[in-house]
Amino acid sequence: MTSSSDAAATSAASASVLDLAPVVPVVVVENVADAVPLARALVAGGLPAIEVTLRTPAALDAIKAIAAEVPDAVVGAGTVINPANVADSVAAGARFLVSPGWTDTLLDAMKESGVPFLPGVSTTSEVVALLERGVQEMKFFPAEAAGGTAYLKSLAGPLPQARFCPTGGVSPANAPGYLALKNVGCVGGSWMLPADGIAAKDWDRVEALAREAASLR
């Protein structure tokens, strides 16, 4: 018999990463012990897709812990920049991959991984090149520095098939502007993960901030 939790997890796994929630938390885990309670707080607040960046030695173990102990989370790996990162992340249990940019080698590895991925773009030529390779869902990074909502809006006319997750400089103040664009599925950000709150292990605060983020759309 399938539980409601299992059914929800299956439904989440089959959906596009861009459609799971309006915001994908971008998480930097310094202490593996924080990974599970942090993920539970984010999920309870309505943000099931969690990007754990490969910026710390604890990242892969954090992904493993979340994958094993938080079944309602859809945990992914961010800052994926080479094929080794792809292999290690999938082996750890990552259910999606996010890169700040892409090369042919990295794109091939992500395609072969068997999990959804969001390669990073910041120019029209990069978007066109990915569309040529059959990729329609992308990360727009660094969003604010690369032109923000005005840039993405200008892409919607000639390249309507491309959908984006803008990340980089996205905040509660400008997130609604991004989310109002027809070619934006979600945004990525870390404002619901305040450093002092993580240090204090104030998971109730993280949950409350996640709930506010989840209500942006």
Side-chain angles (χ1 to χ4, degrees):
M1 182 175 181
T2 302
S3 69
S4 59
S5 175
D6 290 340
T10 299
S11 176
S14 63
S16 165
V17 175
L18 298 184
D19 298 324
L20 293 177
V23 180
V24 175
V26 179
V27 182
V28 179
V29 178
E30 301 286 352
N31 184 347
V32 175
D34 291 338
V36 167
L38 186 152
R40 286 175 175 157
L42 292 172
V43 171
L47 301 180
I50 301 170
E51 176 189 336
V52 177
T53 65
L54 302 183
R55 301 181 192 175
T56 68
L60 289 173
D61 285 336
I63 291 171
K64 288 179 184 177
I66 295 170
E69 300 183 46
V70 192
D72 290 336
V74 180
V75 63
T79 321
V80 174
I81 59 173
N82 56 53
N85 288 161
V86 172
D88 291 344
S89 298
V90 174
R95 293 166 64 183
F96 65 93
L97 306 169
V98 184
S99 69
W102 67 278
T103 65
D104 287 331
T105 299
L106 177 57
L107 186 65
D108 288 342
M110 290 193 291
K111 279 190 165 188
E112 292 168 5
S113 71
V115 301
F117 56 90
L118 297 174
V121 297
S122 60
T123 69
T124 306
S125 293
E126 291 171 321
V127 176
V128 171
L130 283 178
L131 291 174
E132 190 176 77
R133 296 285 301 272
V135 178
Q136 295 185 329
E137 298 187 344
M138 312 166 195
K139 171 180 178 174
F140 180 56
F141 176 83
E144 283 292 282
T149 54
Y151 194 97
L152 286 176
K153 186 176 182 179
S154 71
L155 292 181
L159 303 171
Q161 64 272 55
R163 298 180 71 216
F164 301 94
C165 174
T167 306
V170 180
S171 68
N174 60 24
Y178 282 104
L179 292 169
L181 298 176
K182 60 185 178 182
N183 58 351
V184 169
C186 64
V187 299
S190 57
W191 69 86
M192 72 297 298
L193 302 162
D196 58 342
I198 302 300
K201 303 187 187 303
D202 189 350
W203 310 125
D204 288 341
R205 181 182 175 194
V206 172
E207 180 180 338
L209 290 170
R211 186 168 289 109
E212 291 175 4
S215 69
L216 286 174
R217 174 180 283 157

